[in-house]
Amino acid sequence: MGRKGDDRQTRMRRAGCLALLFIVLTVSACGDPEPVKIGYVGGLTGRFGNLGQEGRDGAILAVEEANAADGIDGRLIELLIRDDRQDEATAVAVDRELIESGVAAIVGHMTSSMSVAAVSLMNRAGVLMVSPTTSTNALTGLDDQFFRVYAPNRMEATNLAAHARNDLGLARVSVVYDLSNRAHTENWRDTFGGEFEKLGGKIVSTPFFTSTPSVRFRELAEQIAVVETDGLLILANALDTARLCQHLRNIGFTAPIMVSQWSVTTDILSLGGGAVEGIRFFNTYDRGNTNPRFLAFKEAFIRRFGRDPDFAAIFSYEAVQVVLTGLKDAKDPQDLKRAILARRSFPGLLDGFAFDDFGDVVRDMVLMTVHDGKYEKLR
């Protein structure tokens, strides 16, 4: 009786375990499908943090809205966020980590130097990277795994050179630039300078610095001011541009100052104050845009994050939208690039845009300035 009873209890326990295992497997098989993973990479800390944080928040909003609308064919999207720290080795390392995690695509990087550093890895892995804000011409016209929703800087730089020479009447201009994003700044310097000199102007000095907390902006401002110049172009992030403008104005530098869109965030207004009044730049982001898609995005962004979006948030949101639309069309991430090129045109928040065969776009641009502490459209 004891042995037979023990055997029967053992068989019952074994049968119960098998039944429980069957239930677990059945529930797992019928449960929610695996999420679609997408990476976001930008500089989230340090002196480049503002740009990366804006891009991150734009990506977060796009993913949250997509998940509220049932994701991709019922599969939720999981956004994996990484900080490249504006360091080439870190950028490649976190991209590799994301690829090994199984991301379908990466939205990033936010600066040209980091995108240039990462593109070889993306090509080898066959994973598409869609940048919200990379503008270097060094990645233009290449058949690779790099797309961008932000136009190459050639148009922005040549338009600003023409404005400086023809509208402002500047004959001699200095260009100061940051080496920590040299894929952007050196490219911008050369494009602007080439066009400006073709129009009869002259680049009279090109001082540079590397963005760190130890930069002596007072000395840099004095170095710029001793050169006989009619105007200055600053190619740097918002924080450094604001600080340099303050030192320049404090020592009596009154010549017109121009910048690239890289520095045009709300930070430059709050940090630069009166020193950035009158700066000029060409911008793809017209804050007075009345496109219903943009207005809806702006309202949702303010509701979610409690502040107005900057250009990086807008273009990051668009980059995620491009990736998600492509994945819906492709079904397989390996076909993502082909699917985006097949669709070609996208509505965008500010205006419609279309990719060429190499993943580059053309965007409308407006001439802007800062007036009374606010951005103002000139034309």
Side-chain angles (χ1 to χ4, degrees):
M1 175 71 180
R3 181 180 294 272
K4 289 183 179 179
D6 291 344
D7 289 345
R8 186 166 59 185
Q9 289 178 0
T10 299
R11 287 196 299 272
M12 290 176 64
R13 283 198 300 268
R14 194 172 293 162
C17 289
L18 289 173
L20 179 60
L21 177 61
F22 176 78
I23 292 171
V24 170
L25 291 174
T26 302
V27 170
S28 297
C30 298
D32 294 335
E34 285 291 314
V36 177
K37 295 179 180 179
I38 294 174
Y40 168 81
V41 188
L44 302 176
T45 53
R47 305 175 76 80
F48 293 76
N50 176 250
L51 189 73
Q53 292 159 17
E54 281 289 322
R56 174 202 61 197
D57 292 349
I60 288 173
L61 181 60
V63 167
E64 288 179 347
E65 290 182 350
N67 282 336
D70 206 27
I72 299 176
D73 297 331
R75 296 177 64 189
L76 295 180
I77 302 114
E78 181 180 357
L79 185 65
L80 306 181
I81 298 171
R82 298 292 184 271
D83 181 6
D84 64 29
R85 298 189 296 185
Q86 192 59 24
D87 175 77
E88 293 181 5
T90 302
V92 173
V94 295
D95 283 345
R96 183 177 292 111
E97 178 188 329
L98 288 171
I99 291 168
E100 292 172 351
S101 298
V103 296
I106 291 177
V107 173
H109 292 250
M110 300 301 288
T111 65
S112 294
S113 289
M114 297 304 98
S115 292
V116 169
V119 72
S120 294
L121 171 63
M122 309 310 294
N123 290 340
R124 292 193 301 271
V127 174
L128 190 67
M129 177 168 64
V130 182
S131 174
T133 51
T134 290
S135 69
T136 180
N137 295 310
L139 295 176
T140 302
L142 303 178
D143 184 10
D144 53 17
Q145 291 292 321
F146 174 79
F147 279 29
R148 53 181 154 193
V149 299
Y150 190 92
N153 64 42
R154 181 167 299 279
M155 180 181 295
E156 185 184 351
T158 54
N159 282 350
L160 192 60
H163 174 65
R165 183 75 184 108
N166 299 331
D167 299 335
L168 298 180
L170 308 182
R172 299 163 58 86
V173 166
S174 295
V175 182
V176 58
Y177 59 100
D178 174 14
L179 287 178
S180 63
N181 189 19
R182 64 194 310 164
H184 169 78
T185 57
E186 289 184 341
N187 199 262
W188 233 99
R189 175 204 64 193
D190 294 344
T191 304
F192 175 91
E195 182 68 15
F196 188 70
E197 292 185 342
K198 188 167 68 176
L199 295 171
K202 183 179 181 181
I203 302 299
V204 293
S205 69
T206 56
F208 55 83
F209 67 97
T210 299
S211 181
T212 65
S214 62
V215 176
R216 298 177 177 177
F217 283 105
R218 172 77 181 198
E219 293 180 9
L220 182 60
E222 291 171 346
Q223 180 184 348
I224 293 167
V226 297
V227 178
E228 185 180 343
T229 185
D230 302 323
L232 175 66
L233 170 62
I234 302 176
L235 302 172
N237 63 52
L239 170 62
D240 293 339
T241 300
R243 292 188 63 191
L244 181 55
C245 285
Q246 287 176 330
H247 284 287
L248 284 165
R249 297 314 189 195
N250 285 340
I251 64 174
F253 186 85
T254 59
I257 294 176
M258 300 165 287
V259 301
S260 73
Q261 187 168 331
W262 178 23
S263 60
V264 183
T265 68
T266 52
D267 272 6
I268 198 173
L269 300 178
S270 60
L271 298 173
V276 299
E277 282 285 307
I279 62 170
R280 297 198 175 201
F281 54 93
F282 274 91
N283 200 350
T284 51
Y285 174 19
D286 176 6
R287 284 166 169 76
N289 192 293
T290 58
N291 188 321
R293 290 187 300 274
F294 168 66
L295 296 178
F297 161 80
K298 183 177 179 180
E299 180 181 349
F301 190 91
I302 294 172
R303 186 167 58 247
R304 175 66 172 83
F305 299 106
R307 67 179 190 278
D308 283 343
D310 276 333
F311 74 95
I314 293 168
F315 296 133
S316 187
Y317 181 96
E318 287 187 343
V320 173
Q321 293 267 316
V322 167
V323 168
L324 297 183
T325 301
L327 289 173
K328 289 178 182 178
D329 291 347
K331 308 302 181 185
D332 184 341
Q334 293 298 317
D335 292 326
L336 178 57
K337 177 179 176 179
R338 185 161 49 248
I340 293 173
L341 289 178
R343 180 174 286 266
R344 192 74 65 171
S345 297
F346 292 80
L349 293 177
L350 304 171
D351 57 5
F353 60 90
F355 292 101
D356 66 14
D357 290 340
F358 304 105
D360 294 319
V361 299
V362 175
R363 307 293 297 246
D364 292 336
M365 308 202 80
V366 293
L367 178 63
M368 305 283 291
T369 190
V370 173
H371 179 68
D372 288 339
K374 296 178 181 179
Y375 291 118
E376 182 177 288
K377 182 179 176 180
L378 292 175
R379 71 163 188 261

